[in-house]
Amino acid sequence: MYRVLVSVRGVRERRAQRRHPGYAKPELLARVPNQLWSWDITKLRGPVRGHWYALYVVLDVFSRCVVGWRLAERERGELAEELLRWCRDSQDLPVDGGLTVHADRGRPMTGKPVSALLVALGITRIHSRPHVPNDTPYSGAQFKTLKYHATFPGRFGSLEDAERYCTAFFQCYNTQHRHSGIGMHTPHDVHTGAATARQAARADVLSAAYARHPARFINRAPVPPMLPTEVWINKPPAALLTSAGQLMSGHPCLKDVDRFRGGLWRGGHLAIPDGWRCQWSGRRRATCAPGDWRIIPATGPVCRLGRVVGAVAA
């Protein structure tokens, strides 16, 4: 009986349940400053329990430079709009200048004021997946640098007190903080392009030190940490990148397992074609249940887009 029901798709979930849409994983690349920004909001403790201040921070992903910040009593979309407009004007960016702004799905990030501003300025808006903090790694790391600093207080006495601290901190962060992700340079130097000259000066100093005392260095001459040439958010597998670092165009990547419909779905199960396997089980299977949505080729690289692992020709 159940085989007959399965053949006509009679065995299925009959309850009216909400189906959450699939969100694609953001895969963003920055090669120069002012190409990709990430912004977020964090909370700072006020003078009494339950009193918080909202700190808005806009970060350039390539240089790690804080291009703008604001502090307020509460989260408001209008304040986020003013901050983004000020950041864009302070960087003297043209309309449709190729800027991408990445943020999570908080209310100020997805509200009308910010959405309308970004559309008017020709700025691409990208959001992270719900409940996936790894999609905003650079903003989260910057907030950790702020709150783990030795001078960060447990509470702020007032909004003015918090503003004074943040003013001094972000000035020091941009101009004095040596960041390991950008070759131990300051974010300001990388953002303005001065890091290239400083990198050459460091190389000259190290070469002179090696020439004077080569026995102090083991195996090779010292070199300064390299400056980054590209910065990714959710970098895809290397097999899907060209020599220029771009995603391969035209690769047969399946963004949705529904592409298998039309003869492959049989009674609530997906009949896996030859040369494919189900990643959920890790072995070749004749059929795959609806929950086993990771269908990949038996050989070859794998491309992950959203919830579904697509197929790339081997």
Side-chain angles (χ1 to χ4, degrees):
M1 175 61 68
Y2 277 99
R3 282 197 292 267
V4 175
L5 290 174
V6 167
S7 64
V8 295
R9 299 191 63 186
V11 180
R12 59 183 179 85
E13 179 60 62
R14 294 181 174 85
R15 293 173 294 178
Q17 293 182 333
R18 179 184 177 185
R19 294 187 177 182
H20 296 277
Y23 296 93
K25 178 193 296 185
E27 295 175 345
L28 307 174
L29 170 64
R31 286 198 174 93
V32 293
N34 291 329
Q35 186 178 9
L36 176 61
W37 288 356
S38 174
W39 76 281
D40 205 348
I41 303 174
T42 188
K43 299 293 187 179
L44 305 181
R45 290 180 177 178
V48 295
R49 183 177 181 180
H51 190 185
W52 303 84
Y53 301 122
L55 175 63
Y56 301 66
V57 178
V58 181
L59 185 76
D60 184 271
V61 172
F62 182 83
S63 65
R64 313 299 203 276
C65 182
V66 175
V67 296
W69 64 274
R70 289 290 186 276
L71 197 63
E73 292 280 356
R74 62 184 63 87
E75 296 183 9
R76 292 190 299 113
E78 293 76 13
L79 180 59
E81 176 194 6
E82 296 173 5
L83 173 60
L84 290 173
R85 186 186 298 274
W86 182 89
C87 291
R88 181 252 181 188
D89 294 340
S90 65
Q91 298 297 314
D92 196 21
L93 301 179
V95 178
D96 296 328
L99 174 64
T100 299
V101 174
H102 178 60
D104 59 22
R105 295 182 178 269
R107 183 174 298 177
M109 293 77 167
T110 58
K112 279 188 176 181
V114 172
S115 301
L117 172 67
L118 297 182
V119 170
L121 298 180
I123 298 175
T124 304
R125 180 184 62 170
I126 302 294
H127 292 294
S128 61
R129 294 166 292 175
H131 312 295
V132 183
N134 292 341
D135 285 351
T136 54
Y138 298 100
S139 291
Q142 202 282 325
F143 288 150
K144 183 176 180 179
T145 302
L146 166 69
K147 296 185 177 182
Y148 278 65
H149 197 271
T151 61
F152 187 79
R155 294 186 180 274
F156 292 97
S158 63
L159 183 64
E160 293 74 17
D161 181 25
E163 286 181 344
R164 283 193 298 269
Y165 179 85
C166 291
T167 300
F169 174 82
F170 287 121
Q171 177 67 21
C172 176
Y173 177 84
N174 280 342
T175 60
Q176 300 181 26
H177 177 67
R178 306 289 174 176
H179 203 295
S180 61
I182 51 178
M184 303 307 295
H185 291 273
T186 64
H188 179 267
D189 286 346
V190 177
H191 196 75
T192 59
T196 304
R198 295 185 183 275
Q199 185 81 352
R202 289 180 180 180
D204 293 340
V205 171
L206 292 175
S207 298
Y210 181 76
R212 289 195 302 268
H213 306 284
R216 294 182 179 180
F217 303 92
I218 302 176
N219 297 330
R220 62 180 179 86
V223 294
M226 297 298 296
L227 283 168
T229 58
E230 61 181 27
V231 179
W232 281 91
I233 292 180
N234 293 328
K235 184 176 181 179
L240 300 180
L241 299 178
T242 64
S243 58
Q246 297 288 349
L247 282 171
M248 295 172 59
S249 60
H251 63 293
C253 192
L254 303 176
K255 294 185 179 180
D256 193 348
V257 84
D258 286 343
R259 296 276 295 275
F260 282 106
R261 291 184 186 275
L264 293 179
W265 278 100
R266 299 172 184 171
H269 287 72
L270 177 66
I272 301 179
D274 293 336
W276 294 64
R277 64 184 176 87
C278 179
Q279 191 187 22
W280 181 81
S281 63
R283 63 182 184 275
R284 183 72 173 84
R285 299 175 63 185
T287 60
C288 185
D292 306 342
W293 38 261
R294 292 179 178 239
I295 313 300
I296 64 176
T299 59
V302 179
C303 175
R304 291 175 173 81
L305 289 180
R307 295 187 60 204
V308 179
V309 174
V312 180

